[in-house]
Amino acid sequence: METIDIMEIKDNTFARQFEAITPEGLLSVEYSFQEKKIFLTKINTPEGFENQALIDTILKSIMEIVVEKKFKLMPIHPKIVQFIKKNPKYKELLPPGIRI
């Protein structure tokens, strides 16, 4: 298993997305807010990008931001739902009544 260096995740509030520069290019996770909920709506990757481990690392960093800001998480994108299923400790970030 390759090691992944922790990279800086930038919150681009103007574009409403978290961004990370990877060797392959810009990787971003789009979001929107409603009340105290953050909806993670889309993952944008460079063309041909297949590094799921790197996406998981970035999503873990985003989960830390969600915890720090005390938001509830609404995973909309299927890859983010799969990430939550693989990492059940993040299910506590879901609002009451939401199950995945």
Side-chain angles (χ1 to χ4, degrees):
M1 185 169 130
E2 65 182 85
T3 59
I4 297 173
D5 294 329
I6 300 302
M7 62 192 63
E8 182 181 353
I9 306 295
K10 178 184 171 198
D11 183 359
N12 182 337
T13 56
F14 181 75
R16 290 182 303 175
Q17 63 187 18
F18 295 105
E19 301 173 340
I21 303 297
T22 69
E24 295 86 355
L26 179 69
L27 191 147
S28 65
V29 178
E30 294 179 16
Y31 64 79
S32 65
F33 284 109
Q34 183 178 357
E35 298 169 2
K36 290 285 280 173
K37 296 181 194 115
I38 185 168
F39 292 75
L40 299 179
T41 57
K42 188 174 181 186
I43 298 174
N44 300 305
T45 59
E47 192 170 324
F49 186 85
E50 296 292 328
N51 190 340
Q52 186 60 45
L54 185 55
I55 292 172
D56 288 352
T57 299
I58 290 168
L59 289 175
K60 286 178 185 176
S61 295
I62 292 170
M63 295 303 129
E64 291 173 17
I65 293 168
V66 170
V67 168
E68 181 182 305
K69 295 188 182 256
K70 298 184 174 143
F71 293 136
K72 288 298 182 182
L73 175 68
M74 297 294 292
I76 305 299
H77 192 276
K79 284 187 178 182
I80 298 171
V81 172
Q82 288 299 335
F83 172 80
I84 300 294
K85 286 180 179 179
K86 287 191 313 191
N87 298 278
K89 68 180 181 179
Y90 297 121
K91 285 186 178 182
E92 68 188 34
L93 299 175
L94 300 172
I98 301 296
R99 296 174 198 244
I100 57 171

